[in-house]
């Protein structure tokens, strides 16, 4: 099987869906001539023209609102939000309008739009361009939320999102665009709400999202050398969440660490850990531990920034202590 970058996988997914369905169009800041600052969408305007690949003004509330209206009236927009941090600018359009129209219209209206954006620190982009805000939108009923962890997931989830009748927010990690993974040439889709066991194990479950899957896999490889078999599970989507697969894994291993790059307090780690504790309590030999980003603005200083997010070494140390029978809380 060929290996391609996550960037190319996203590009292929959108191009294939635009060829398949003339209602699909792409819009956002610098998506046409520049192909986005990360060059993910390069070449699409040459194939589909400026009528379907639209460069927008620097007015996120304006063009996201336009996308909501277009989706309600029969189009299928894919909106590129240059940085996930800009979600704060479009919360009314996304959370009050797109998320609620199907309910408020008694099922008469749908908003089949995709908002693709990014997350992730350690790129030296400072506090306003480094946040991981997936919990912000996962909190809102009516929105689906996907978090690909490789090129394979990125393509399959994007194609599923474009075909979905609901508004979907997809978060891609900025540092993963050049990471390669096997991706089939033939068409495939990844259903929402279907977690993937990346690595089987029997001693502890590592549930990780997006780039934290790589962190968990690196930690699992180290732990294997010490005789500890860690199972790595990628939820793929936060909404809907494949709770059954997560619970089955934790019931087998009896220990769990939940890893996400969003701020630890009131976030993804808290929600998943709570569900595991509520529904697998009598199977647990230790408390479910959460490992998220520090509850601080992301520093620009490399030395400080690298300390704010979970690392393989930190996961290894926490897993060792859990498997040794120490009842601990996440640091």
């Amino acid at each position: 099987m060929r290996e391609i970058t996550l960037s190319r996988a996203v590009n292929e997914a959108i191009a294939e869906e635009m060829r398949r369905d003339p209602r699909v169009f792409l819009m956002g800041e610098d998506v046409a001539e520049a192909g986005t600052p990360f060059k993910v969408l390069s070449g699409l305007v040459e194939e589909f023209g400026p009528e379907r690949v639209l460069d927008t003004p620097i007015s996120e509330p304006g063009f996201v609102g336009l996308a909501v209206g277009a989706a309600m009236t029969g189009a299928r927009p894919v909106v590129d939000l240059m940085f996930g941090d800009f979600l704060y600018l479009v919360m009314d359009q996304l959370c009050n309008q797109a998320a609620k129209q199907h309910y408020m219209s008694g099922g008469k209206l749908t908003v089949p739009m995709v908002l693709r954006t990014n997350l992730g620190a350690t790129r030296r982009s400072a506090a306003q361009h480094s946040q991981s805000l997936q919990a912000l939108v996962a909190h809102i009923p009516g929105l689906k939320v996907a978090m690909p962890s490789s090129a394979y997931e990125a393509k399959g989830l994007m194609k599923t999102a474009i075909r979905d009748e609901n508004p979907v927010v997809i978060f891609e990690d900025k540092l993963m665009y050049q990471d390669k993974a096997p991706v089939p040439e033939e068409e495939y889709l990844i259903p929402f709400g279907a977690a993937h066991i990346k690595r089987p194990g029997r001693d502890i479950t590592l549930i990780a999202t997006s780039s934290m899957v790589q962190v968990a896999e690196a930690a699992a490889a180290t732990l294997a050398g010490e005789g500890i078999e860690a199972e790595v599970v990628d939820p793929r989507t936060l909404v809907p969440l494949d709770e059954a697969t997560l619970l089955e894994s934790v019931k087998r291993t009896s220990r769990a660490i939940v890893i996400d790059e969003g701020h630890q307090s009131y976030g993804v780690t808290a929600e998943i850990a709570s569900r595991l504790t509520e529904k697998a309590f009598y199977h647990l030999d230790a408390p479910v531990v959460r490992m998220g980003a520090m509850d601080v603005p992301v520093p620009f200083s490399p030395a400080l920034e690298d300390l704010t997010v979970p690392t393989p070494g930190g996961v290894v140390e926490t897993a060792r202590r859990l498997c040794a029978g120490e009842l601990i809380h996440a640091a």
Side-chain angles (χ1 to χ4, degrees):
M1 190 184 299
R2 64 176 184 155
E3 287 196 348
I4 62 173
T5 63
L6 191 148
S7 175
R8 182 177 170 187
V10 173
N11 189 299
E12 283 189 358
I14 295 173
E16 288 174 12
E17 292 304 302
M18 291 181 73
R19 295 182 196 116
R20 184 188 65 84
D21 188 343
R23 297 174 299 169
V24 179
F25 73 94
L26 177 64
M27 64 188 303
E29 296 160 352
D30 292 337
V31 298
E33 301 305 323
T36 78
F38 302 99
K39 305 305 177 186
V40 176
L41 306 177
S42 296
L44 294 182
V45 70
E46 285 79 5
E47 178 175 354
F48 299 102
E51 297 80 14
R52 293 183 69 193
V53 182
L54 289 76
D55 275 336
T56 66
I58 303 175
S59 178
E60 289 84 1
F63 65 76
V64 173
L66 189 155
V68 174
M72 290 169 59
T73 52
R76 304 187 79 89
V78 178
V79 183
D80 181 282
L81 198 61
M82 189 181 291
F83 285 91
D85 312 70
F86 301 165
L87 277 167
Y88 293 119
L89 298 169
V90 303
M91 290 301 280
D92 182 63
Q93 290 80 358
L94 183 65
C95 299
N96 272 336
Q97 308 305 327
K100 295 177 173 60
Q101 286 304 319
H102 187 64
Y103 170 78
M104 295 182 69
S105 67
K108 294 178 181 179
L109 296 174
T110 58
V111 187
M113 64 174 276
V114 176
L115 190 149
R116 64 167 294 269
T117 189
N118 50 52
L119 58 80
T122 69
R123 189 177 173 269
R124 319 315 181 202
S125 296
Q128 294 176 338
H129 294 76
S130 302
Q131 297 169 88
S132 299
L133 300 178
Q134 52 273 21
L136 202 67
V137 289
H139 182 69
I140 305 301
L143 299 177
K144 295 185 177 182
V145 182
M147 299 182 67
S149 61
S150 75
Y152 177 81
E153 276 81 18
K155 183 171 184 179
L157 291 171
M158 178 62 74
K159 290 173 72 70
T160 299
I162 293 173
R163 299 186 192 189
D164 202 291
E165 293 300 318
N166 301 280
V168 179
V169 184
I170 293 185
F171 289 90
E172 301 152 6
D173 191 284
K174 295 186 286 286
L175 289 179
M176 293 175 63
Y177 282 127
Q178 297 310 309
D179 290 358
K180 291 186 176 182
V183 176
E185 293 194 36
E186 62 272 15
E187 182 176 79
Y188 68 97
L189 284 78
I190 296 176
F192 287 176
H196 181 218
I197 297 177
K198 293 278 190 177
R199 179 185 180 122
R202 64 182 181 183
D203 297 318
I204 188 169
T205 297
L206 307 179
I207 299 170
T209 63
S210 186
S211 61
M212 294 296 101
V213 172
Q214 295 182 359
V215 169
E217 288 180 317
T222 299
L223 290 167
E226 303 174 9
I228 299 173
E229 295 184 13
E231 182 153 290
V232 178
V233 185
D234 174 11
R236 287 177 166 168
T237 57
L238 298 182
V239 183
L241 182 67
D242 184 0
E243 190 177 90
T245 297
L246 305 187
L247 288 170
E248 288 170 7
S249 176
V250 171
K251 287 177 181 179
R252 284 196 306 271
T253 66
S254 75
R255 302 175 182 88
I257 303 173
V258 187
I259 313 158
D260 179 75
E261 198 171 338
H263 295 305
Q264 181 157 305
S265 294
Y266 306 99
V268 172
T269 59
E271 176 62 26
I272 295 177
S274 175
R275 295 197 194 192
L276 297 177
T277 301
E278 288 175 1
K279 299 181 180 182
F281 181 79
Y282 292 104
H283 297 268
L284 293 170
D285 290 338
V288 177
V289 173
R290 300 178 294 129
M291 298 187 71
M294 285 185 185
D295 294 330
V296 297
V298 179
F300 174 73
S301 162
L304 295 178
E305 184 179 19
D306 289 345
L307 296 175
T308 66
V309 297
T311 62
V315 176
V316 167
E317 178 59 26
T318 302
R320 283 183 189 136
R321 297 179 68 185
L322 276 176
C323 291
E326 300 178 30
L327 302 183
I328 63 170
H329 298 285

